[in-house]
Amino acid sequence: MIKILFQGDSITDAGRDYFDSHNMGFGYPMYVKQMLCEKYGEDKFEFVNLGISGNQTYCLKNRWQKDCIDIQPDIVSIMIGINDVWSRCAERNWLENEVFESNYRYLLEQIKEKTKAKILILEPYLLPVEDKLYFREDLNGKIDIVRKLAREYADAYVPTDGLFAAALLHSDIPSLGGDGVHPIEGGCKLIAKHYYEAVIPLIESLKFVVIILLTVRQASRLSKKRFARLHILKASHI
């Protein structure tokens, strides 16, 4: 069974039940689960959603041991960053990019050092709604940092900001997410579609590893049985 952990802020949280970490809420994790179960079957996965509304990178850092490392996922996805911008927008007292990068890098380093998980990163995004356009003063630099970190650490990457920009050529903002940050059904399905496409190669690579391990274990058991039979035959001739 492959364990997939969804981590992030309200976009990942999406109204999930905090008393049931296997509850996917009503956002993109729900649609990802549906698509993967349809392709592979429900018995092939354990899905865990620990996104928390309002979280920033420092929040994930503070709970990372309990809410990621201790879980030992096979695949962990992270979408974080928009609240690092939004929480400081009133006075444009933006979080230093060095601090943002340090927080995010900590998460990725911990995964690499203390788990065997594949890493899927989704970049933060913003739809061009009038009252939040100035977020770009800070957000663009942080998206660049996420992309740089992805090149260093990620096994798969979803360029969410760019995907929404492309989608807006054929859709309007209200059909994707009216406030520019929180996606409605159309936006959630867009994220889920590209998440699904990005995660499939990771799942296939894990399946290949499992097949190899099972083959090795089976061969080991056969070797032990043959050794035992040989030992019995030798003993019978003594």
Side-chain angles (χ1 to χ4, degrees):
M1 183 175 288
I2 294 174
K3 186 185 295 185
I4 299 179
L5 171 63
F6 299 89
Q7 270 291 2
D9 49 37
S10 57
I11 301 168
T12 302
D13 177 332
R16 71 178 179 86
D17 180 357
Y18 282 20
F19 296 99
D20 178 9
S21 62
H22 295 102
N23 181 276
M24 294 294 101
F26 303 97
Y28 75 87
M30 177 182 72
Y31 295 109
V32 171
K33 177 181 177 179
Q34 289 175 359
M35 288 188 286
L36 290 178
C37 288
E38 183 176 338
K39 180 176 176 65
Y40 293 105
E42 293 187 19
D43 61 335
K44 301 298 191 299
F45 300 97
E46 178 184 358
F47 297 96
V48 180
N49 185 350
L50 291 176
I52 296 180
S53 181
N55 264 198
Q56 302 173 41
T57 50
Y58 84 87
C59 304
L60 287 191
K61 184 177 178 181
N62 289 342
R63 62 185 179 89
W64 207 234
Q65 180 66 42
K66 175 175 67 72
D67 286 352
C68 180
I69 306 305
D70 291 349
I71 293 169
Q72 289 294 300
D74 297 298
I75 298 172
V76 56
S77 66
I78 306 170
M79 179 188 277
I80 197 73
I82 190 61
N83 289 319
D84 292 76
V85 176
W86 201 347
S87 64
R88 296 166 177 82
C89 69
E91 298 180 0
R92 285 179 161 87
N93 183 27
W94 309 119
L95 177 69
E96 295 88 345
N97 282 344
E98 293 77 11
V99 175
F100 178 82
E101 180 174 343
S102 176
N103 289 344
Y104 211 132
R105 186 179 294 276
Y106 173 87
L107 307 177
L108 301 170
E109 284 283 355
Q110 290 291 296
I111 295 170
K112 289 292 188 183
E113 291 177 8
K114 298 181 180 179
T115 81
K116 296 180 179 179
K118 301 288 187 181
I119 299 173
L120 194 166
I121 292 177
L122 302 93
E123 69 187 21
Y125 69 90
L126 179 70
L127 277 63
V129 295
E130 193 64 34
D131 67 328
K132 297 184 181 70
L133 291 178
Y134 70 100
F135 284 19
R136 287 286 174 186
E137 297 174 11
D138 187 45
L139 180 62
N140 288 348
K142 289 180 168 53
I143 291 174
D144 287 342
I145 289 169
V146 173
R147 291 174 178 176
K148 181 182 77 170
L149 292 173
R151 291 192 294 271
E152 294 182 44
Y153 295 96
D155 298 287
Y157 189 73
V158 178
T160 330
D161 194 56
L163 293 172
F164 273 108
L168 286 172
L169 296 178
H170 308 288
S171 305
D172 57 11
I173 293 172
S175 69
L176 299 173
D179 73 348
V181 172
H182 299 99
I184 59 173
E185 182 178 354
C188 291
K189 287 183 175 179
L190 176 69
I191 298 170
K193 173 183 181 293
H194 291 280
Y195 186 117
Y196 173 82
E197 292 172 354
V199 82
I200 289 294
L202 307 187
I203 291 169
E204 292 297 326
S205 70
L206 289 171
K207 284 173 60 185
F208 181 71
V209 170
V210 169
I211 290 170
I212 291 176
L213 288 174
L214 290 175
T215 302
V216 169
R217 288 172 185 170
Q218 186 178 28
S220 177
R221 283 195 291 267
L222 288 173
S223 296
K224 288 178 181 178
K225 287 180 181 178
R226 287 171 183 162
F227 178 79
R229 286 173 188 163
L230 182 61
H231 185 72
I232 291 170
L233 286 172
K234 285 183 177 179
S236 67
H237 291 292
I238 295 175

